[in-house]
Amino acid sequence: QVQPVETGGGSVQAGGSLRVSCKVSTSMYKGYCLGWARQTPGKEREVVAQYFAGGGGLSLYADSVKGRFTISQEDDKNTLQLQMDNLKPEDTARYYCVAASRLHSCTVRLRGPADFQYWGQGTQVTVSS
């Protein structure tokens, strides 16, 4: 499988919005557990959002972003988007699109970063106060 490719991100002031996109292969888009993880230097990686196309469009979110981040899909482009609203300085991180072939619990609970075997190169999101 080819690794995911992220685009978007950038810099914004607190309270603003940004969007990051992730393009994957057709088979990965339809049959893998997909998600977004982030990492800040000195901190552990954190999965913040998760989605499975075969799960009826159900998305899961970490408590830290729930109500502010939203996953949407462009099915014809095999692209997953993460809309980030009301951004906070603590959202500053490198955001990675991640994918896992193992689907267990993908629509039930957020999985840990180690559960995802495919990682994109990441894109930087910076939120200033």
Side-chain angles (χ1 to χ4, degrees):
Q1 289 287 350
V2 178
Q3 70 180 82
V5 177
E6 305 97 337
T7 56
S11 299
V12 69
Q13 289 191 328
S17 299
L18 286 172
R19 177 180 292 182
V20 290
S21 297
C22 171
K23 187 171 178 64
V24 297
S25 67
T26 301
S27 60
M28 190 174 279
Y29 184 80
K30 293 182 178 179
Y32 280 50
C33 182
L34 303 176
W36 291 94
R38 66 185 182 185
Q39 185 170 27
T40 302
K43 294 186 178 180
E44 292 187 356
R45 295 178 298 179
E46 174 190 21
V47 175
V48 296
Q50 189 170 289
Y51 171 82
F52 173 49
L58 178 66
S59 300
L60 300 177
Y61 302 93
D63 289 342
S64 58
V65 306
K66 197 172 295 182
R68 301 186 298 118
F69 289 15
T70 305
I71 286 179
S72 61
Q73 312 84 38
E74 292 185 75
D75 293 339
D76 58 334
K77 298 179 181 178
N78 299 333
T79 297
L80 206 64
Q81 296 180 336
L82 184 67
Q83 176 68 34
M84 302 178 288
D85 298 321
N86 191 22
L87 282 160
K88 304 175 180 181
E90 51 263 42
D91 294 318
T92 295
R94 191 163 185 85
Y95 283 73
Y96 297 88
C97 182
V98 296
S101 57
R102 188 165 167 263
L103 300 177
H104 178 66
S105 76
C106 186
T107 58
V108 176
R109 60 171 178 81
L110 277 183
R111 301 168 72 172
D115 288 336
F116 292 92
Q117 68 221 81
Y118 297 96
W119 288 66
Q121 80 283 0
T123 185
Q124 181 66 32
V125 169
T126 302
V127 185
S128 58
S129 57

